[in-house]
Amino acid sequence: MIAGDLFHRQPLLRELREVNDLFAGLIKTQVVLCAGNHDYLKKNSYYLTFAWEKHVHMILDTELKMVDLPEIETAVYGFSYGSKEMTEKPYAGKIAKGQRPAEILMIHGGDGSHVPVKKEEVSKLGYDYTALGHIHKPQSIIPGKMAYCGALEPIDKNDTGSHGYIYGEIVDKRCRVKFVPAAVREYIHMEVQVTADMSGSMLKQKIKKAVEENGTENIYKIVITGYRSPDVLFDVQAMDVYGNIIEFVDDTKPSYDFEKIKRHNKDNILGKFIEQLEGYGEGTAQYRAMCEGVQALMETRRD
């Protein structure tokens, strides 16, 4: 089952042919799919006229329709989008008909603009399982009864975590499902801490080791935190050893010798500022405020 957005935009005819050729290789499988908000049924959509393999069933209606699969004693109920947004709920009040031993509801949506989904409302309809689409991250809504499988592969850099599909079995009206990780790679946001004695080459080695431990096949956003020497500026672009870091964020702060600065500035605002905030540990908000304030004051003096 593909609960909408097989494509992230309107599919081209050649793309449908490619997908159909892949589906043709499924010998003992029935495929049911619908159109979501990204690949919705436009007036001239190729979905409307495309001839799928006989075991591929495309739902071409914005109202809830049943796909009957007698060979596997299953009925799948679903609908397609006719526009980019769909605020109504085609599933509302449509209880399972009991025509097949296994009955599955398929919904693409989950927010105010895309078919709101209320689990209490759906669970009362009597379907053995509800397959959800639209949300990219896999998540269980009702254990064993309703879940988002998420995108097979991450869509963008903020689409972190495992991606894959949901495998399920319905036997005697009891449904058992499990998430199967299948993505080739993941987007990972990783924080790397620096210390005042760390050089650029030392940081490069630390990032390299962290990437190796988390998988060189993955794609990274690296956030550098901690307190560096005031004399060090890291060349973050030189840190991408494997070519798989798409973003660096340098959130480091300079680590000053506050006692020394206070002695040399005891009669001015800089020394008095340090006196007001000194004595707090490095992890405190006061310490961070002292670092940022001293940096600002010292930069003002240089200007």
Side-chain angles (χ1 to χ4, degrees):
M1 290 181 297
I2 302 171
D5 287 352
L6 174 60
F7 297 91
H8 209 54
R9 53 169 173 71
Q10 290 295 312
L12 301 175
L13 182 58
R14 59 179 172 82
E15 292 172 328
L16 291 180
R17 287 172 177 161
E18 289 291 335
V19 171
N20 197 42
D21 284 345
L22 294 173
F23 286 154
L26 301 173
I27 306 302
K28 298 180 180 180
T29 302
Q30 297 292 322
V31 179
V32 182
L33 69 154
C34 63
N37 61 298
H38 286 293
D39 58 352
Y40 65 95
L41 302 177
K42 291 180 69 173
K43 185 169 63 173
N44 59 348
S45 171
Y46 288 113
Y47 273 146
L48 298 173
T49 55
F50 188 76
W52 295 97
E53 291 287 321
K54 63 180 180 179
H55 60 282
V56 180
H57 313 276
M58 176 87 193
I59 297 174
L60 298 174
D61 202 306
T62 57
E63 298 295 326
L64 194 72
K65 296 297 178 183
M66 181 185 75
V67 176
D68 190 22
L69 306 171
E71 55 270 57
I72 57 172
E73 299 185 313
T74 299
V76 178
Y77 299 77
F79 57 89
S80 283
Y81 278 58
S83 59
K84 292 181 179 179
E85 295 186 353
M86 193 173 189
T87 56
E88 62 271 22
K89 297 183 288 186
Y91 66 84
K94 304 295 177 63
I95 63 173
K97 296 180 179 180
Q99 293 188 354
R100 294 294 176 192
E103 293 193 305
I104 299 170
L105 178 62
M106 190 165 61
I107 302 174
H108 185 92
D111 60 49
S113 300
H114 306 96
V115 186
V117 175
K118 295 186 180 299
K119 64 180 183 180
E120 298 83 4
E121 185 177 350
V122 175
S123 65
K124 292 178 182 178
L125 299 177
Y127 293 93
D128 299 298
Y129 179 73
T130 301
L132 299 172
H134 183 57
I135 306 300
H136 294 171
K137 289 184 179 294
Q139 52 190 287
S140 174
I141 305 302
I142 300 177
K145 295 289 288 184
M146 184 188 305
Y148 285 98
C149 66
L152 281 172
E153 296 282 346
I155 304 300
D156 60 44
K157 67 182 180 182
N158 293 317
D159 208 356
T160 56
S162 294
H163 286 75
Y165 60 92
I166 289 177
Y167 174 84
E169 292 182 341
I170 299 175
V171 180
D172 296 331
K173 307 299 288 183
R174 293 184 179 182
C175 183
R176 293 181 297 178
V177 299
K178 65 178 180 179
F179 175 74
V180 181
V184 175
R185 56 185 52 82
E186 295 181 22
Y187 284 103
I188 296 177
H189 295 182
M190 188 162 59
E191 182 178 307
V192 179
Q193 273 206 318
V194 304
T195 55
D197 60 347
M198 189 174 286
S199 65
S201 61
M202 292 169 66
L203 175 59
K204 182 177 181 178
Q205 287 303 310
K206 187 173 184 178
I207 291 174
K208 178 176 180 289
K209 182 179 179 183
V211 168
E212 289 171 348
E213 289 174 349
N214 287 274
T216 56
E217 75 280 6
N218 295 318
I219 305 171
Y220 293 86
K221 173 183 176 180
I222 303 293
V223 181
I224 307 169
T225 61
Y227 295 94
R228 55 175 168 76
S229 168
D231 302 321
V232 171
L233 289 176
F234 295 118
D235 181 8
V236 293
Q237 300 309 316
M239 309 291 175
D240 191 2
V241 176
Y242 292 104
N244 58 352
I245 300 175
I246 58 168
E247 184 179 354
F248 279 99
V249 177
D250 187 349
D251 276 347
T252 59
K253 301 288 187 289
S255 179
Y256 293 106
D257 184 341
F258 294 115
E259 191 60 36
K260 181 179 178 181
I261 296 172
K262 186 179 71 171
R263 283 199 310 269
H264 287 92
N265 296 273
K266 59 182 180 180
D267 295 325
N268 60 40
I269 188 173
L270 181 54
K272 296 184 184 303
F273 177 77
I274 294 173
E275 280 184 12
Q276 295 242 336
L277 290 174
E278 66 181 343
Y280 292 96
E282 287 192 6
T284 64
Q286 291 88 343
Y287 185 85
R288 291 195 297 274
M290 184 165 60
C291 290
E292 292 174 7
V294 168
Q295 182 180 10
L297 289 168
M298 292 186 73
E299 287 176 352
T300 301
R301 291 175 61 182
R302 283 198 293 268
D303 293 341

